[in-house]
Amino acid sequence: MSEAVVPDNMMSPAVGGLYGEKAGGPVVDFSYVGIDAILEQMRRKAMKQGFELNIMVVGQSGLGKSTLMNTLFKSKVSRKSVLATGQEKIPKTIEIKSISHDIEEKGVRMKLTVIDTPGFGDQINNENCWQPIMKFINDQYEAYLQEEININRKKRIPDSRVHCCIYFIPPTGHSLRPLDVEFMRRLSKVVNIVPVIAKADTLTLEERDFFKKKIREDLRANGIDVYPQKEFDEDTEDRMINEKIREMIPFAVVGSDQEYQVNGRRLLGRKTKWGTIEVENIAHCEFAYLRDLLIRTHMQNIKDITSSIHYEMYRVRRLNENNTVVAHANGIPEHHLAAHEM
């Protein structure tokens, strides 16, 4: 019997490549499994779904909150920019107003919601002015919780939770006011707070450094833990990066949506008699550090802490409250319930 001869051109092209023989293709690594491909899969999925970011701005009127938000996202995203109706009157009570935008950059889509708090700190008596803001933040947690515990819940729950609160400190150059301390002390327990010194170009560099140092001392003295919180650093690398940020807080910022030509360069800035204050120049102000923190380096971490820490604390408390109410309705003594929870 004669053996069947298989022509060379009928051999599988993969055979030569698999064993590193000359088959015209690259040498395949036998040890490669392909686990790293999950990153590309996650990227594609995230690109399809898009992202959500909800930022709250808090501070008395005239501190440049709207301008700073427009500067951060290089577009008219603030409530005043979109809904401006002439001279806005200061409301008699704190109002919570939000506006959403769909932003796209290099194929990445993001739904940005800017939450404004007109009326905060503008009254003669500002006692308990933090309460409507606290209620709004908790209301968003409650709405998310109710969606989450539905039997037929949505595949993707709309996220209206406040991911970050930028708190604007007036550039007094002295120390935090009692209002600032009280607000941040209470709100830092339920939301990520990033304090900024507004309109920092009104301070000299020496005044700015002194004011920043004094604010950090006030924060420590009052046990106020602003973002990035030390207790949530995940590893040594995180700790080193976040420690540098903590040393810079509060960020001394200047906002401007006006473009100027300086030495042949187009830039965002504020023009004065003495020259142009460049918003993105770190020698002039710390806007670039704030932008990097909120958007380029820590955006996902801010959202993760909102979800896994602040929202989780709210969820546990609410579910415990519900269990207690049900137990009382069924006549179960409170000490039995406590023993069961332990």
Side-chain angles (χ1 to χ4, degrees):
M1 288 177 70
S2 61
E3 293 182 0
V5 179
V6 179
D8 289 346
N9 62 354
M10 287 181 65
M11 286 186 69
S12 169
V15 174
L18 270 172
Y19 294 94
E21 296 169 7
K22 293 179 181 177
V27 176
V28 177
D29 183 1
F30 253 133
S31 63
Y32 178 71
V33 176
I35 297 170
D36 61 337
I38 188 66
L39 296 174
E40 179 58 23
Q41 295 170 42
M42 290 168 69
R43 190 191 71 83
R44 283 204 306 268
K45 184 178 179 181
M47 291 279 280
K48 281 181 185 176
Q49 289 182 341
F51 300 89
E52 294 169 315
L53 181 65
N54 307 319
I55 297 182
M56 175 179 271
V57 289
V58 179
Q60 66 190 65
S61 59
L63 290 180
K65 300 187 295 294
S66 298
T67 304
L68 185 72
M69 292 309 298
N70 293 343
T71 312
L72 270 172
F73 294 96
K74 295 190 175 177
S75 54
K76 304 286 186 184
V77 298
S78 70
R79 179 185 59 84
K80 276 189 178 179
S81 301
V82 178
L83 305 174
T85 53
Q87 189 66 32
E88 188 175 51
K89 292 182 179 178
I90 295 172
K92 292 181 179 178
T93 57
I94 296 172
E95 300 173 355
I96 312 289
K97 296 184 178 181
S98 62
I99 188 160
S100 297
H101 305 267
D102 290 313
I103 298 174
E104 186 168 338
E105 184 180 56
K106 294 184 178 178
V108 179
R109 291 180 296 108
M110 184 174 77
K111 182 185 176 185
L112 171 70
T113 301
V114 179
I115 304 137
D116 198 359
T117 55
F120 177 86
D122 292 325
Q123 315 305 322
I124 295 171
N125 180 7
N126 289 304
E127 189 178 1
N128 297 333
C129 64
W130 49 269
Q131 286 180 345
I133 297 170
M134 174 82 87
K135 182 180 182 302
F136 177 85
I137 292 169
N138 284 332
D139 284 348
Q140 307 319 303
Y141 290 152
E142 183 65 27
Y144 195 90
L145 176 63
Q146 291 306 317
E147 288 285 353
E148 206 174 46
I149 62 179
N150 274 342
I151 295 172
N152 298 315
R153 63 181 180 184
K154 296 171 183 171
K155 187 177 179 182
R156 191 176 181 205
I157 300 172
D159 191 0
S160 63
R161 297 171 295 183
V162 180
H163 299 126
C164 178
C165 171
I166 304 177
Y167 186 73
F168 288 70
I169 301 167
T172 62
H174 302 300
S175 61
L176 291 176
R177 304 166 302 167
L179 172 63
D180 303 326
V181 171
E182 188 68 10
F183 178 87
M184 287 193 280
R185 188 175 66 81
R186 291 180 180 273
L187 272 291
S188 62
K189 294 179 175 66
V190 298
V191 70
N192 298 311
I193 289 186
V194 177
V196 299
I197 299 171
K199 298 192 172 181
D201 52 329
T202 60
L203 301 169
T204 66
L205 293 178
E206 292 78 13
E207 288 170 340
R208 190 178 84 180
D209 291 343
F210 173 80
F211 193 28
K212 282 163 65 76
K213 184 181 175 184
K214 193 75 178 71
I215 289 171
R216 285 194 293 270
E217 289 172 0
D218 287 346
L219 293 174
R220 278 193 297 268
N222 289 281
I224 298 168
D225 207 5
V226 297
Y227 185 84
Q229 301 91 333
K230 193 176 289 187
E231 60 182 303
F232 304 143
D233 291 345
E234 292 181 3
D235 50 38
T236 309
E237 185 185 1
D238 262 8
R239 195 172 299 112
M240 287 173 63
I241 293 169
N242 291 342
E243 206 56 55
K244 290 178 182 176
I245 296 169
R246 285 189 279 266
E247 287 170 6
M248 282 192 283
I249 281 177
F251 298 106
V253 298
V254 176
S256 174
D257 44 18
Q258 296 293 314
E259 281 191 4
Y260 295 99
Q261 196 89 7
V262 178
N263 298 328
R265 294 181 300 124
R266 283 173 61 212
L267 49 85
L268 291 171
R270 283 168 57 84
K271 206 170 185 67
T272 70
K273 290 180 181 179
W274 305 276
T276 303
I277 299 159
E278 300 174 27
V279 167
E280 299 188 64
N281 187 337
I282 56 173
H284 293 190
C285 75
E286 295 171 337
F287 167 82
Y289 294 127
L290 174 68
R291 179 204 57 209
D292 290 354
L293 176 76
L294 294 178
I295 301 171
R296 300 185 181 182
T297 62
H298 283 64
M299 183 195 289
Q300 188 57 48
N301 183 252
I302 286 170
K303 294 180 66 176
D304 289 345
I305 287 178
T306 299
S307 180
S308 61
I309 306 296
H310 296 305
Y311 169 68
E312 193 63 21
M313 286 173 65
Y314 178 86
R315 190 183 71 87
V316 168
R317 178 167 59 80
R318 283 287 287 112
L319 294 180
N320 280 337
E321 285 173 4
N322 289 346
N323 288 342
T324 305
V325 169
V326 170
H328 287 166
N330 292 333
I332 301 172
E334 198 164 330
H335 63 274
H336 284 188
L337 184 68
H340 179 70
E341 285 175 358
M342 288 172 70

